Amino acid sequence: MILTDEEKAMRDGAEGPAVAAAMDLLIRYGEALDAQRLCDTRNVAGTTTQPSPVKAKLVAEGGWHKAFAVLNLDSDAELEIPDMRVPTCQLQQGFGPDSAGIAPYPQEFVELQTDAEAFYGRRGVNILATCTPYQVGNLPVRGEHCAWMESSAVVYCNSVIGARTNCEGGASTGAASLTGKIPCWGNHLPENRFGTHLIHVDEGVRDFQDWGMLGYFAGGLVQDERPVVTGEFAHPDLVDLKHFGAAAASSGGVELYHLPGITPEAPTVEAAFRGRMPDAIHYGQKERLAVYETLNNQGSSTDVDFVLLGCPHASVDQIRAAAKALDGKRLHDGTQLWIMVPRALKAVADRSGYTAVIEAAGGKLLADSCPAMSRAAPPGTKVFATDSAKQAHYLPAILGIEAWFGSLEDCVDAAVTGRWRGELT
Ligand code: F3S
């Protein structure tokens, strides 16, 4: 790999041993990927505060410096971790202290995470604590090189914002935050950002639920390649695209898609493909029904004891819509409803009165995490319902529970009646 003089100096210890270890890791990582060089990045999104048994053991042995050295720099050396060199944010983590009595999450993890927030916050990690950093202040510009984790955030960053990131891990984001560098390969290179598959929507994409189902179809079709979607659909908003990308990254490994005329790198279909246009694969009522049936073949009992909204973390408008749907209603005895939100947006929901309406109905707003990340649902949950294709995809396997997938209205109906009565309309 070709290194600049600045990168060689970092590697050789000019900025201290922790930065040298970070640069050594990035060089090894880049060479394994056959990257020719490193990119400069000023935007890192990682998961340093996320609790785990391994992290707890390392902290007990040598404090947070040791935990970061081992888990984020792949180093057994005794290192003093300096301030982050470039802006870095924390993505989702475990549930926090305010989840006590709601989410069954180990107290020792809550304490570990609170300690981690203090350590990393002092070193320049912005504790956004959400899988949607783009909703709460981390909004890169088009073309900017980033080092992000979290598949739903990565696909949004690449596709909707037009910034550039691969799906990084804990080690590479840790090393990037201390150096401002990341191997320049994959999605960082313009030649890897053109479409590979053309999906033509014939009909049936009107709302949030539809965008999730279309994303699930697209991911299943293209796996980790790059779909371009054209045809007849209602103009999507941030929330629709958040759902579309998260679903495509769940059924497949999509990190980048284009909607010609809507997403920034595809002014036209031709531009999205750079001239090499494949035959279109059609998405219509038959495909839509097949996706719906796939997402709903994980439920047999219609007795719903848990309803989950907000995956990826809800926008303010989604919280408001849930409050409106729940206004004046009361959850069924034995059924719980959680809405996952970024903590910064919970403050907005609190001030706007949405939280009070949701809580009056018996629902809860929970920040920082989600049942999949914290592996925690209300005790005794056997059957859950969600409006998120991603949670319907993952949570049955993670928690061994049954799932129903539908619209916000279906989910609120299930929360209020305790029964799943959703149907595809
Ligand atoms: Fe976010 Fe959890 Fe979904 S981290 S994308 S709410 S699985």
Side-chain angles (χ1 to χ4, degrees):
M1 188 157 41
I2 300 163
L3 300 179
T4 64
D5 289 344
E6 178 201 32
E7 290 160 358
K8 286 179 191 161
M10 281 196 254
R11 176 198 63 191
D12 296 339
E15 298 194 22
V19 173
M23 188 55 78
D24 175 63
L25 183 147
L26 292 171
I27 292 168
R28 284 186 280 131
Y29 171 42
E31 287 181 345
L33 295 164
D34 217 13
Q36 301 298 301
R37 62 186 179 88
L38 298 170
C39 301
D40 289 329
T41 179
R42 292 168 304 176
N43 191 319
V44 181
T47 61
T48 45
T49 65
Q50 171 84 44
S52 71
V54 173
K55 202 171 278 182
K57 184 166 175 287
L58 289 166
V59 172
E61 287 169 7
W64 286 104
H65 292 284
K66 174 157 186 169
F68 191 91
V70 172
L71 297 176
N72 300 98
L73 300 178
D74 187 31
S75 171
D76 289 327
E78 272 197 27
L79 298 173
E80 173 87 14
I81 306 306
D83 287 355
M84 303 298 140
R85 183 185 177 94
V86 293
T88 298
C89 78
Q90 171 64 34
L91 293 163
Q92 74 277 359
Q93 49 186 18
F95 284 120
D98 55 350
S99 72
I102 304 170
Y105 192 60
Q107 180 61 22
E108 61 268 28
F109 276 8
V110 173
E111 286 165 14
L112 188 71
Q113 180 171 288
T114 304
D115 207 29
E117 287 182 10
F119 179 87
Y120 289 111
R122 275 199 305 277
R123 280 159 184 77
V125 176
N126 303 321
I127 310 295
L128 299 184
T130 175
C131 49
T132 59
Y134 49 85
Q135 293 198 108
V136 291
N138 184 349
L139 200 58
V141 297
R142 181 176 171 186
E144 185 172 355
H145 294 288
C146 301
W148 283 22
M149 294 173 69
E150 166 51 38
S151 63
S152 73
V154 164
V155 68
Y156 195 97
C157 182
N158 279 311
S159 312
V160 184
I161 300 169
R164 299 180 180 192
T165 181
N166 293 310
C167 208
E168 298 293 348
S172 58
T173 51
S177 62
L178 289 189
T179 58
K181 307 284 178 180
I182 196 73
C184 204
W185 69 288
N187 296 327
H188 291 285
L189 303 175
E191 61 268 30
N192 295 332
R193 297 183 64 85
F194 294 98
T196 56
H197 294 69
L198 176 60
I199 298 173
H200 188 275
V201 176
D202 295 331
E203 57 178 326
V205 179
R206 300 179 297 258
D207 56 22
F208 175 81
Q209 180 185 3
D210 287 325
W211 278 101
M213 290 195 292
L214 177 60
Y216 204 79
F217 173 82
L221 179 75
V222 312
Q223 292 299 303
D224 59 357
E225 297 200 86
R226 299 179 292 278
V228 176
V229 182
T230 61
E232 304 300 317
F233 48 73
H235 199 94
D237 62 11
L238 176 155
V239 166
D240 296 328
L241 296 184
K242 178 165 72 79
H243 196 194
F244 175 85
S250 302
S251 58
V254 173
E255 296 177 0
L256 171 59
Y257 63 83
H258 300 294
L259 302 182
I262 296 174
T263 54
E265 293 180 52
T268 62
V269 186
E270 292 73 22
F273 284 107
R274 195 167 54 171
R276 295 169 293 113
M277 189 116 73
D279 291 340
I281 295 137
H282 288 261
Y283 179 88
Q285 287 302 352
K286 181 162 71 75
E287 290 76 17
R288 180 172 178 261
L289 181 60
V291 170
Y292 185 80
E293 287 177 347
T294 299
L295 289 169
N296 278 300
N297 75 2
Q298 308 171 88
S300 55
S301 168
T302 54
D303 293 335
V304 172
D305 33 34
F306 176 40
V307 174
L308 173 62
L309 305 173
C311 167
H313 282 179
S315 71
V316 173
D317 290 333
Q318 286 179 291
I319 302 169
R320 176 173 170 268
K324 199 168 171 205
L326 285 162
D327 197 5
K329 300 195 173 100
R330 187 73 206 155
L331 299 196
H332 181 262
D333 260 359
T335 304
Q336 296 206 36
L337 179 143
W338 294 358
I339 307 177
M340 304 300 129
V341 301
R343 188 167 291 275
L345 298 189
K346 181 172 184 306
V348 179
D350 292 350
R351 292 182 79 174
S352 307
Y354 308 148
T355 308
V357 172
I358 292 163
E359 289 183 349
K364 304 282 183 213
L365 260 60
L366 285 174
D368 302 345
S369 191
C370 73
M373 284 301 127
S374 288
R375 297 175 181 265
T381 296
K382 293 192 180 67
V383 181
F384 91 112
T386 183
D387 66 347
S388 163
K390 178 171 179 175
Q391 283 282 344
H393 180 84
Y394 284 120
L395 207 56
I398 291 173
L399 294 183
I401 58 180
E402 295 187 5
W404 294 106
F405 166 79
S407 65
L408 169 66
E409 293 70 28
D410 294 335
C411 290
V412 168
D413 179 72
V416 169
T417 64
R419 307 269 300 168
W420 182 255
R421 303 190 295 190
E423 283 182 3
L424 189 60
T425 55

